Amino acid sequence: VITSKDIEKSGAKTVGDLLSDIPGVEIKNDGGQGIDRVKIRGEDAFRTLVMIDGQKVAEHKSMSGAPILIDPSMIERIEVIKGPASVLYGSDAIGGAINIITKKGGTRPVQGEISAGMDTSASGKNVSAGIYGTVNGWEYRLNAATESYDNLETPIGEVPYTEFDSRSASLYLAYNINENMKVGGTIDYYNLDFMSGTQDGSYDEFFVAVPKWDRTKGALFFEMNNVNDYLARLRLDVFHQRSNKDMHNHVIQAITMDSYADNQLDQTGFSAQSDWQLGDHYLIAGYEFSYDSLDAETNSILSPMPSMKIKSNSVWDANQQQHSVYASMESPVLADVSLTYGVRYTWVQSEADYEKSGTSTATSWSRDSSDGHAVFNLGAVWRAAEDISLRASWAQGYRFPIIQELFVDSTMGGATTLSNPDLKPETSDNFEIGLRWSNAAFSVDSAIFYSKADDYIDSLLTAQTPMGKTYRYTNVSEATTYGLETSLSFNVFENFEPYTTFTLMRRKFEQNGVSTYDSGTPEMTARYGVRWNGVVEGLNLRADAFAISRSESVQHNFDYDPTDATSEKKSFRLGGATTFNLTAGVSFGKDSAHSIDIGLYNITDKLYQTSDAIYEAGRYFTVKWNSKF
């Protein structure tokens, strides 16, 4: 769990930055700032479920997976579930789930908070403010925030096309009918304007401009607690969410290609969850419904020479609906041992209508795809002592293809990827053994994990011409992942706490008869340092000196052709790197209501990459001020 205190102290631009230090979690950028995707235990963003207040943020037309469209200042905490969470959360949670809990009401009639920060890595500025409280049974909160960042500065200079701006606002209102019953709702708005570039010299010019990516959400809930001796909790939620994205993809590489997209995704969801205390057994059971509707239009302009333009227009009207029922039980079997076991059944139906014009032959069709599937999990926890617990679990993962993979052809970076309505869902089996040991002087949380995933959907090269490469989504891959995650800290020195978090992981990818560990996953990532906390003349002081290390990562090129002298086995190789960092802060005033935090990152100005698109920021400085009243 990442708490509100962690967020207040952080100089993070995005939610992805907040998650980057968690063992087993990687952050993927797409050649820019402002929008990150999350990978958990090697599984990419398509296989990591992102939720805001327990409600899914879907993405059905993207080459990168679901984005995290929310400002950090709006967040109360972030819950990270590593490993499959498909029984409780459904499709897309093969790698894990990110649940972002937004801020709600306060404890007094009128409260407020304000924060402001700067970041020299991109001449960035951010400001946020909120007013909230509780009065006569009513809870309320009104938040607003804005960010503005210029192009990213790396040790070798400025990265073109990497600026971003965001604006957001939210309203929460709820009424406590009595001490056990509450009804309320939220309205959220987030607007992002960003660009992505590249430092890949193979392009004469390349950028992706997204002048508008809006997320607008309205939600209502009703909750009852302690209904009777058996029903501990009943929760009903309904929401509607719209994601509206405009995009321009521009490539000059022998020929000029421009693709313009206008995508509107509407999500409607309903869920009912009940918690039951059945003697010593605790049961969670529920039903979820979701209906995602995608209206997408793409206009492409291909210019083989300045005097020639080939234009086409494609329009998709598609939807995907899911119905799920689930049950998860926790039962004691011995005095110190408990079992958790559950099942979820999901039925999915997806369909699309398509029209294409502007080429020599107009095209139209209607297609559909459906599936029903059950997943199971089984886990045990042994509380061996007051401060020691051991855990073991087996869980199945499930992912139904998104609309783009089934029905929508897409062009990005000069390559075209074709859809496939005959795709099967992805499935996985996952095992974990863990230890948690915590006392006054020592704390460790460690897990060994193993995952085997089948019917992976990946893009397979089907044609290559001077006009570019053509791929097609296919159930062509398998992935085997195993590793060790550990968080370790010592409290043996007064006010000083040495600590480390690290992940050791290997991931084997199999595709079209080729098996390789060059899957683009670093075998080691780690953060290690020393924290200090103290009180001097009534000021609460803190400091953290730490390093972040990652080993090299290599991505095998599955398009490799040994008969072609120009073909390479590796699509990219990212060298290992270590950066050194220092943060410090002070809190003061009544109840430490005011705080100032500073950070100096990549002190040695290390040149390194975490993705093949761009280098990361060079040496930079952040300042964050927070006040509550």
Side-chain angles (χ1 to χ4, degrees):
V1 175
I2 298 174
T3 68
S4 58
K5 290 294 184 183
D6 298 327
I7 298 170
E8 288 174 5
K9 293 184 292 184
S10 172
K13 302 185 188 83
T14 66
V15 176
D17 293 338
L18 294 170
L19 298 166
S20 60
D21 294 331
I22 296 177
V25 175
E26 281 187 89
I27 304 304
K28 178 184 176 183
N29 69 56
D30 291 322
Q33 310 177 90
I35 189 165
D36 294 318
R37 271 83 171 193
V38 181
K39 296 174 64 176
I40 298 180
R41 292 181 175 174
E43 301 288 4
D44 65 19
F46 285 111
R47 301 169 181 96
T48 299
L49 178 63
V50 176
M51 297 172 288
I52 297 177
D53 290 326
Q55 294 156 352
K56 179 179 177 179
V57 178
E59 180 55 71
H60 283 285
K61 192 171 184 292
S62 168
M63 301 301 292
S64 303
I68 304 178
L69 300 175
I70 188 172
D71 190 274
S73 67
M74 308 290 184
I75 300 171
E76 175 65 29
R77 68 184 187 277
I78 306 173
E79 300 171 349
V80 182
I81 301 99
K82 291 180 286 188
S86 295
V87 165
L88 281 181
Y89 296 114
S91 183
D92 297 348
I94 283 183
I98 307 294
N99 191 16
I100 298 168
I101 309 299
T102 58
K103 294 178 178 178
K104 305 296 193 298
T107 57
R108 304 194 307 269
V110 180
Q111 297 172 258
E113 60 185 16
I114 188 169
S115 71
M118 60 163 286
D119 180 336
T120 64
S121 68
S123 300
K125 301 170 285 293
N126 59 79
V127 178
S128 67
I131 185 167
Y132 54 97
T134 298
V135 56
N136 295 329
W138 289 92
E139 301 175 7
Y140 69 93
R141 178 180 286 267
L142 178 64
N143 278 356
T146 182
E147 293 181 297
S148 179
Y149 287 78
D150 295 333
N151 287 334
L152 185 68
E153 293 283 351
T154 74
I156 58 172
E158 182 180 286
V159 186
Y161 309 120
T162 52
E163 65 266 32
F164 84 94
D165 297 280
S166 72
R167 294 150 295 278
S168 57
S170 66
L171 172 66
Y172 165 79
L173 185 64
Y175 180 65
N176 293 280
I177 300 171
N178 56 48
E179 62 180 6
N180 292 320
M181 193 179 301
K182 180 186 293 187
V183 62
T186 59
I187 299 174
D188 297 333
Y189 174 75
Y190 183 81
N191 171 268
L192 179 65
D193 172 1
F194 76 99
M195 299 186 72
S196 294
T198 184
Q199 291 171 305
D200 183 350
S202 63
Y203 295 99
D204 294 326
E205 188 173 27
F206 173 87
F207 66 77
V208 177
V210 182
K212 181 182 72 171
W213 198 341
D214 296 339
R215 182 184 70 87
T216 307
K217 176 183 175 183
L220 297 172
F221 72 89
F222 173 75
E223 183 173 323
M224 297 175 63
N225 293 285
N226 304 315
V227 179
N228 54 44
D229 291 341
Y230 303 101
L231 182 55
R233 178 176 176 267
L234 176 65
R235 171 91 181 198
L236 305 176
D237 287 271
V238 62
F239 75 96
H240 181 80
Q241 183 165 256
R242 171 170 291 179
S243 176
N244 207 325
K245 176 173 62 174
D246 293 339
M247 184 179 73
H248 173 203
N249 179 29
H250 173 74
V251 181
I252 300 179
Q253 189 182 30
I255 61 176
T256 300
M257 291 169 281
D258 287 280
S259 180
Y260 300 86
D262 182 1
N263 306 324
Q264 180 175 299
L265 176 63
D266 285 281
Q267 293 177 253
T268 301
F270 168 78
S271 64
Q273 179 172 304
S274 57
D275 295 15
W276 301 83
Q277 188 70 58
L278 307 175
D280 293 332
H281 307 275
Y282 196 83
L283 171 67
I284 298 174
Y287 164 79
E288 290 184 358
F289 166 79
S290 66
Y291 184 87
D292 300 345
S293 175
L294 175 68
D295 292 319
E297 181 175 358
T298 298
N299 292 284
S300 299
I301 304 173
L302 185 65
S303 304
M305 57 186 68
S307 60
M308 179 184 294
K309 292 185 183 297
I310 303 172
K311 299 181 180 181
S312 65
N313 174 261
S314 298
V315 178
W316 291 268
D317 181 4
N319 65 77
Q320 186 170 105
Q321 62 172 304
Q322 292 193 22
H323 299 265
S324 300
V325 290
Y326 60 93
S328 179
M329 179 84 85
E330 182 178 350
S331 300
V333 292
L334 295 171
D336 300 317
V337 179
S338 62
L339 291 181
T340 300
Y341 45 100
V343 59
R344 183 186 191 101
Y345 182 82
T346 301
W347 180 81
V348 190
Q349 171 73 39
S350 193
E351 56 189 16
D353 296 320
Y354 170 71
E355 291 185 2
K356 184 175 183 178
S357 59
T359 57
S360 57
T361 304
T363 304
S364 64
W365 48 251
S366 296
R367 294 171 180 166
D368 62 78
S369 178
S370 63
D371 183 65
H373 194 87
V375 293
F376 301 86
N377 77 324
L378 174 64
V381 176
W382 175 34
R383 294 166 182 84
E386 183 178 352
D387 53 5
I388 300 175
S389 63
L390 297 170
R391 63 187 184 274
S393 67
W394 161 73
Q396 293 182 310
Y398 171 77
R399 174 180 176 264
F400 189 80
I402 64 172
I403 290 173
Q404 174 171 289
E405 294 165 335
L406 291 168
F407 306 123
V408 178
D409 301 337
S410 55
T411 299
M412 177 66 72
T416 298
T417 304
L418 303 178
S419 58
N420 183 355
D422 298 321
L423 289 172
K424 297 182 292 185
E426 301 176 348
T427 58
S428 69
D429 282 280
N430 309 264
F431 303 87
E432 178 177 329
I433 299 174
L435 164 70
R436 181 171 295 167
W437 183 11
S438 181
N439 55 39
F442 175 79
S443 177
V444 61
D445 193 340
S446 188
I448 299 171
F449 60 90
Y450 172 88
S451 172
K452 178 68 173 179
D454 295 314
D455 291 325
Y456 250 37
I457 298 168
D458 209 336
S459 51
L460 191 67
L461 183 67
T462 58
Q464 184 169 354
T465 69
M467 306 291 281
K469 296 180 178 180
T470 300
Y471 297 83
R472 181 178 173 84
Y473 286 118
T474 311
N475 291 105
V476 72
S477 306
E478 297 180 358
T480 303
T481 308
Y482 57 91
L484 168 69
E485 299 168 349
T486 297
S487 297
L488 179 65
S489 64
F490 301 89
N491 296 303
V492 294
F493 309 107
E494 185 177 1
N495 298 332
F496 286 91
E497 182 184 11
Y499 72 94
T500 182
T501 62
F502 63 87
T503 303
L504 305 176
M505 180 164 54
R506 296 210 73 193
R507 182 171 172 84
K508 182 173 70 174
F509 211 71
E510 300 173 68
Q511 178 173 303
N512 205 30
V514 176
S515 178
T516 178
Y517 280 98
D518 292 339
S519 59
T521 302
E523 293 187 4
M524 185 277 294
T525 56
R527 171 173 170 156
Y528 43 97
V530 178
R531 290 186 284 251
W532 175 84
N533 290 274
V535 179
V536 178
E537 296 184 357
L539 301 177
N540 295 297
L541 304 177
R542 54 188 171 270
D544 189 357
F546 63 95
I548 298 175
S549 298
R550 58 189 288 132
S551 61
E552 74 166 6
S553 58
V554 180
Q555 175 72 60
H556 180 81
N557 180 15
F558 286 99
D559 299 339
Y560 172 65
D561 181 359
T563 65
D564 184 354
T566 64
S567 184
E568 298 182 359
K569 285 188 175 182
K570 314 299 181 187
S571 59
F572 69 79
R573 178 188 294 272
L574 306 179
T578 296
T579 63
F580 298 93
N581 313 272
L582 178 64
T583 65
V586 56
S587 299
F588 55 94
K590 184 180 179 181
D591 298 325
S592 297
H594 310 284
S595 65
I596 299 174
D597 286 272
I598 61 175
L600 181 59
Y601 299 93
N602 196 5
I603 294 172
T604 59
D605 207 28
K606 178 73 174 179
L607 180 66
Y608 72 104
Q609 291 175 277
T610 58
S611 75
D612 61 327
I614 61 174
Y615 290 103
E616 296 299 311
R619 183 188 302 113
Y620 67 100
F621 178 74
T622 67
V623 178
K624 187 73 173 291
W625 162 59
N626 294 278
S627 284
K628 296 182 179 181
F629 57 86

